[in-house]
PDB file of all heavy atoms in Angstrom:
ATOM      1  N   ILE A  38     303.843  48.308 113.820  1.00 96.00           N
ATOM      2  CA  ILE A  38     302.625  48.854 114.469  1.00 96.00           C
ATOM      3  C   ILE A  38     302.942  50.018 115.396  1.00 96.00           C
ATOM      4  O   ILE A  38     302.238  51.087 115.395  1.00 96.00           O
ATOM      5  CB  ILE A  38     301.897  47.765 115.273  1.00 96.00           C
ATOM      6  CG1 ILE A  38     301.436  46.626 114.296  1.00 96.00           C
ATOM      7  CG2 ILE A  38     300.730  48.290 116.047  1.00 96.00           C
ATOM      8  CD1 ILE A  38     300.966  45.412 115.029  1.00 96.00           C
ATOM      9  N   LEU A  39     304.033  49.880 116.103  1.00 95.00           N
ATOM     10  CA  LEU A  39     304.516  50.941 117.025  1.00 95.00           C
ATOM     11  C   LEU A  39     304.761  52.253 116.254  1.00 95.00           C
ATOM     12  O   LEU A  39     304.316  53.350 116.654  1.00 95.00           O
ATOM     13  CB  LEU A  39     305.712  50.483 117.774  1.00 95.00           C
ATOM     14  CG  LEU A  39     306.435  51.506 118.685  1.00 95.00           C
ATOM     15  CD1 LEU A  39     305.510  51.883 119.810  1.00 95.00           C
ATOM     16  CD2 LEU A  39     307.741  50.893 119.215  1.00 95.00           C
ATOM     17  N   LYS A  40     305.467  52.154 115.154  1.00 93.00           N
ATOM     18  CA  LYS A  40     305.835  53.345 114.370  1.00 93.00           C
ATOM     19  C   LYS A  40     304.621  54.000 113.748  1.00 93.00           C
ATOM     20  O   LYS A  40     304.539  55.240 113.657  1.00 93.00           O
ATOM     21  CB  LYS A  40     306.825  52.975 113.283  1.00 93.00           C
ATOM     22  CG  LYS A  40     308.199  52.552 113.820  1.00 93.00           C
ATOM     23  CD  LYS A  40     309.116  52.115 112.698  1.00 93.00           C
ATOM     24  CE  LYS A  40     310.468  51.628 113.191  1.00 93.00           C
ATOM     25  NZ  LYS A  40     311.360  51.067 112.130  1.00 93.00           N
ATOM     26  N   SER A  41     303.680  53.178 113.281  1.00 93.00           N
ATOM     27  CA  SER A  41     302.560  53.786 112.536  1.00 93.00           C
ATOM     28  C   SER A  41     301.345  54.129 113.434  1.00 93.00           C
ATOM     29  O   SER A  41     300.615  55.056 113.052  1.00 93.00           O
ATOM     30  CB  SER A  41     302.097  52.775 111.440  1.00 93.00           C
ATOM     31  OG  SER A  41     301.665  51.552 112.026  1.00 93.00           O
ATOM     32  N   GLN A  42     301.179  53.427 114.585  1.00 94.00           N
ATOM     33  CA  GLN A  42     299.964  53.607 115.338  1.00 94.00           C
ATOM     34  C   GLN A  42     300.230  53.970 116.789  1.00 94.00           C
ATOM     35  O   GLN A  42     299.273  54.364 117.490  1.00 94.00           O
ATOM     36  CB  GLN A  42     299.131  52.370 115.242  1.00 94.00           C
ATOM     37  CG  GLN A  42     298.729  51.942 113.877  1.00 94.00           C
ATOM     38  CD  GLN A  42     297.899  50.686 113.843  1.00 94.00           C
ATOM     39  OE1 GLN A  42     296.977  50.465 114.611  1.00 94.00           O
ATOM     40  NE2 GLN A  42     298.289  49.763 112.957  1.00 94.00           N
ATOM     41  N   GLY A  43     301.411  53.848 117.244  1.00 93.00           N
ATOM     42  CA  GLY A  43     301.692  54.225 118.656  1.00 93.00           C
ATOM     43  C   GLY A  43     301.739  52.988 119.605  1.00 93.00           C
ATOM     44  O   GLY A  43     301.277  51.900 119.211  1.00 93.00           O
ATOM     45  N   VAL A  44     302.225  53.217 120.789  1.00 93.00           N
ATOM     46  CA  VAL A  44     302.497  52.141 121.681  1.00 93.00           C
ATOM     47  C   VAL A  44     301.241  51.405 122.137  1.00 93.00           C
ATOM     48  O   VAL A  44     301.215  50.195 122.325  1.00 93.00           O
ATOM     49  CB  VAL A  44     303.306  52.631 122.913  1.00 93.00           C
ATOM     50  CG1 VAL A  44     302.465  53.614 123.733  1.00 93.00           C
ATOM     51  CG2 VAL A  44     303.845  51.527 123.782  1.00 93.00           C
ATOM     52  N   ASP A  45     300.146  52.166 122.345  1.00 93.00           N
ATOM     53  CA  ASP A  45     298.921  51.556 122.833  1.00 93.00           C
ATOM     54  C   ASP A  45     298.246  50.642 121.814  1.00 93.00           C
ATOM     55  O   ASP A  45     297.418  49.805 122.132  1.00 93.00           O
ATOM     56  CB  ASP A  45     297.924  52.608 123.331  1.00 93.00           C
ATOM     57  CG  ASP A  45     298.400  53.259 124.568  1.00 93.00           C
ATOM     58  OD1 ASP A  45     299.090  52.591 125.357  1.00 93.00           O
ATOM     59  OD2 ASP A  45     298.073  54.444 124.805  1.00 93.00           O
ATOM     60  N   ALA A  46     298.610  50.796 120.503  1.00 95.00           N
ATOM     61  CA  ALA A  46     298.017  49.981 119.454  1.00 95.00           C
ATOM     62  C   ALA A  46     298.683  48.628 119.390  1.00 95.00           C
ATOM     63  O   ALA A  46     298.203  47.699 118.656  1.00 95.00           O
ATOM     64  CB  ALA A  46     298.156  50.727 118.122  1.00 95.00           C
ATOM     65  N   VAL A  47     299.842  48.459 119.988  1.00 95.00           N
ATOM     66  CA  VAL A  47     300.536  47.175 119.963  1.00 95.00           C
ATOM     67  C   VAL A  47     299.835  46.151 120.915  1.00 95.00           C
ATOM     68  O   VAL A  47     299.860  46.311 122.133  1.00 95.00           O
ATOM     69  CB  VAL A  47     301.998  47.346 120.389  1.00 95.00           C
ATOM     70  CG1 VAL A  47     302.739  45.974 120.357  1.00 95.00           C
ATOM     71  CG2 VAL A  47     302.726  48.332 119.488  1.00 95.00           C
ATOM     72  N   THR A  48     299.215  45.149 120.317  1.00 95.00           N
ATOM     73  CA  THR A  48     298.585  44.102 121.101  1.00 95.00           C
ATOM     74  C   THR A  48     299.068  42.748 120.511  1.00 95.00           C
ATOM     75  O   THR A  48     299.515  42.711 119.393  1.00 95.00           O
ATOM     76  CB  THR A  48     297.055  44.116 121.005  1.00 95.00           C
ATOM     77  OG1 THR A  48     296.640  43.869 119.651  1.00 95.00           O
ATOM     78  CG2 THR A  48     296.544  45.496 121.441  1.00 95.00           C
ATOM     79  N   THR A  49     298.992  41.698 121.325  1.00 95.00           N
ATOM     80  CA  THR A  49     299.429  40.424 120.830  1.00 95.00           C
ATOM     81  C   THR A  49     298.662  39.968 119.602  1.00 95.00           C
ATOM     82  O   THR A  49     299.259  39.360 118.687  1.00 95.00           O
ATOM     83  CB  THR A  49     299.331  39.366 121.951  1.00 95.00           C
ATOM     84  OG1 THR A  49     298.012  39.373 122.497  1.00 95.00           O
ATOM     85  CG2 THR A  49     300.337  39.655 123.064  1.00 95.00           C
ATOM     86  N   ARG A  50     297.400  40.259 119.574  1.00 95.00           N
ATOM     87  CA  ARG A  50     296.553  39.821 118.409  1.00 95.00           C
ATOM     88  C   ARG A  50     297.010  40.588 117.155  1.00 95.00           C
ATOM     89  O   ARG A  50     297.099  39.997 116.101  1.00 95.00           O
ATOM     90  CB  ARG A  50     295.075  40.070 118.691  1.00 95.00           C
ATOM     91  CG  ARG A  50     294.476  39.110 119.713  1.00 95.00           C
ATOM     92  CD  ARG A  50     293.021  39.210 119.839  1.00 95.00           C
ATOM     93  NE  ARG A  50     292.461  38.244 120.793  1.00 95.00           N
ATOM     94  CZ  ARG A  50     292.250  36.979 120.503  1.00 95.00           C
ATOM     95  NH1 ARG A  50     292.448  36.541 119.275  1.00 95.00           N
ATOM     96  NH2 ARG A  50     291.720  36.156 121.411  1.00 95.00           N
ATOM     97  N   LYS A  51     297.173  41.917 117.243  1.00 96.00           N
ATOM     98  CA  LYS A  51     297.580  42.687 116.127  1.00 96.00           C
ATOM     99  C   LYS A  51     298.983  42.258 115.624  1.00 96.00           C
ATOM    100  O   LYS A  51     299.238  42.198 114.424  1.00 96.00           O
ATOM    101  CB  LYS A  51     297.553  44.167 116.443  1.00 96.00           C
ATOM    102  CG  LYS A  51     296.192  44.819 116.475  1.00 96.00           C
ATOM    103  CD  LYS A  51     296.299  46.320 116.702  1.00 96.00           C
ATOM    104  CE  LYS A  51     294.909  46.966 116.709  1.00 96.00           C
ATOM    105  NZ  LYS A  51     295.043  48.438 116.902  1.00 96.00           N
ATOM    106  N   VAL A  52     299.871  42.044 116.582  1.00 96.00           N
ATOM    107  CA  VAL A  52     301.219  41.610 116.261  1.00 96.00           C
ATOM    108  C   VAL A  52     301.181  40.249 115.508  1.00 96.00           C
ATOM    109  O   VAL A  52     301.877  40.068 114.490  1.00 96.00           O
ATOM    110  CB  VAL A  52     302.111  41.535 117.491  1.00 96.00           C
ATOM    111  CG1 VAL A  52     303.451  40.857 117.165  1.00 96.00           C
ATOM    112  CG2 VAL A  52     302.354  42.918 118.052  1.00 96.00           C
ATOM    113  N   ALA A  53     300.372  39.322 116.037  1.00 96.00           N
ATOM    114  CA  ALA A  53     300.300  38.028 115.411  1.00 96.00           C
ATOM    115  C   ALA A  53     299.770  38.144 113.954  1.00 96.00           C
ATOM    116  O   ALA A  53     300.271  37.515 113.038  1.00 96.00           O
ATOM    117  CB  ALA A  53     299.426  37.135 116.230  1.00 96.00           C
ATOM    118  N   ALA A  54     298.721  38.962 113.801  1.00 96.00           N
ATOM    119  CA  ALA A  54     298.163  39.134 112.477  1.00 96.00           C
ATOM    120  C   ALA A  54     299.127  39.754 111.475  1.00 96.00           C
ATOM    121  O   ALA A  54     299.268  39.297 110.343  1.00 96.00           O
ATOM    122  CB  ALA A  54     296.878  39.962 112.583  1.00 96.00           C
ATOM    123  N   ARG A  55     299.881  40.751 111.955  1.00 96.00           N
ATOM    124  CA  ARG A  55     300.861  41.426 111.084  1.00 96.00           C
ATOM    125  C   ARG A  55     301.991  40.525 110.762  1.00 96.00           C
ATOM    126  O   ARG A  55     302.559  40.504 109.626  1.00 96.00           O
ATOM    127  CB  ARG A  55     301.365  42.673 111.792  1.00 96.00           C
ATOM    128  CG  ARG A  55     302.386  43.494 111.028  1.00 96.00           C
ATOM    129  CD  ARG A  55     301.816  44.174 109.809  1.00 96.00           C
ATOM    130  NE  ARG A  55     300.850  45.187 110.172  1.00 96.00           N
ATOM    131  CZ  ARG A  55     301.191  46.502 110.274  1.00 96.00           C
ATOM    132  NH1 ARG A  55     302.421  46.895 110.107  1.00 96.00           N
ATOM    133  NH2 ARG A  55     300.255  47.359 110.596  1.00 96.00           N
ATOM    134  N   ALA A  56     302.431  39.681 111.723  1.00 95.00           N
ATOM    135  CA  ALA A  56     303.537  38.798 111.517  1.00 95.00           C
ATOM    136  C   ALA A  56     303.160  37.511 110.733  1.00 95.00           C
ATOM    137  O   ALA A  56     304.035  36.783 110.279  1.00 95.00           O
ATOM    138  CB  ALA A  56     304.141  38.391 112.868  1.00 95.00           C
TER     139      ALA A  56
END
Side-chain angles (χ1 to χ4, degrees):
I38 296 171
L39 175 64
K40 292 176 183 177
S41 62
Q42 302 178 47
V44 68
D45 290 330
V47 179
T48 66
T49 52
R50 289 188 178 278
K51 285 186 178 180
V52 169
R55 179 70 66 93

